[in-house]
Amino acid sequence: MRYIHAMTQAPLRRLIDLPGVDDLELKALMTPRIADPDERHEFPEVDAAVVAALKLTPDEAEAVALPADWDRIERLDPADMVDAFAAEGWDVTDNRRKPLRTLRHFALPLALAMRGLAGELPFVAEPDQPTTSWGSSLKAEASRFRKR
């Protein structure tokens, strides 16, 4: 299953830019067991990072009743998750374009938060609107009018 992100869409939001995610990735680099979902109970920093990013622990995410049409995005292979999340506006890769080591911890909470079922996404301000050329011409016209 491959998902395609249209080039005309806004830039993808990066999971690694959310609070706590980059720090957890660094810890997972040094201690690879942190990335193993079965070992999560041994590393409280996993829950802390997911809560900091998405206001929801992985255990709370697992307790959410999923809708009947849920696509199981959290159960995909990490490479397929990258495509699936990209199709929904999220970049879940590191700086080398590889899936995050800790992606399995974040996949379900992120999917729930981005779909509005549980947790929440951090606020992101809308990008500044580009300046239009008519604004400067209006200013020049007003200046000429005042001189008359």
Side-chain angles (χ1 to χ4, degrees):
M1 169 176 11
R2 288 302 225 193
Y3 296 85
I4 298 173
H5 177 70
M7 297 303 286
T8 58
Q9 291 181 344
L12 299 178
R13 287 188 69 183
R14 297 194 70 214
L15 178 60
I16 200 164
D17 291 340
L18 297 185
V21 179
D22 194 32
D23 292 337
L24 188 63
E25 275 296 297
L26 181 59
K27 288 178 183 180
L29 178 63
M30 305 310 252
T31 309
R33 286 182 345 130
I34 289 176
D36 184 351
D38 294 331
E39 302 293 325
R40 185 175 72 219
H41 64 280
E42 290 187 35
F43 300 99
E45 55 264 52
V46 171
D47 281 355
V50 178
V51 167
L54 303 164
K55 312 292 185 255
L56 177 74
T57 68
D59 288 335
E60 291 169 339
E62 289 170 2
V64 172
L66 301 175
D69 62 347
W70 188 256
D71 62 2
R72 305 283 216 192
I73 192 171
E74 77 281 2
R75 295 192 182 211
L76 296 174
D77 180 75
D80 291 331
M81 273 192 224
V82 169
D83 292 337
F85 278 109
E88 297 204 35
W90 283 88
D91 177 353
V92 294
T93 62
D94 60 18
N95 292 333
R96 296 177 301 147
R97 313 305 308 152
K98 295 188 181 231
L100 296 174
R101 287 173 180 80
T102 58
L103 181 55
R104 292 227 179 260
H105 296 304
F106 288 96
L108 181 58
L110 176 59
L112 291 169
M114 71 185 189
R115 294 171 180 172
L117 297 173
E120 66 182 65
L121 299 173
F123 173 76
V124 174
E126 291 290 321
D128 291 337
Q129 297 298 323
T131 307
T132 57
S133 60
W134 61 265
S136 58
S137 64
L138 263 174
K139 187 175 180 180
E141 187 66 32
S143 179
R144 282 192 293 266
F145 178 77
R146 277 182 267 175
K147 289 181 182 177
R148 293 185 200 162

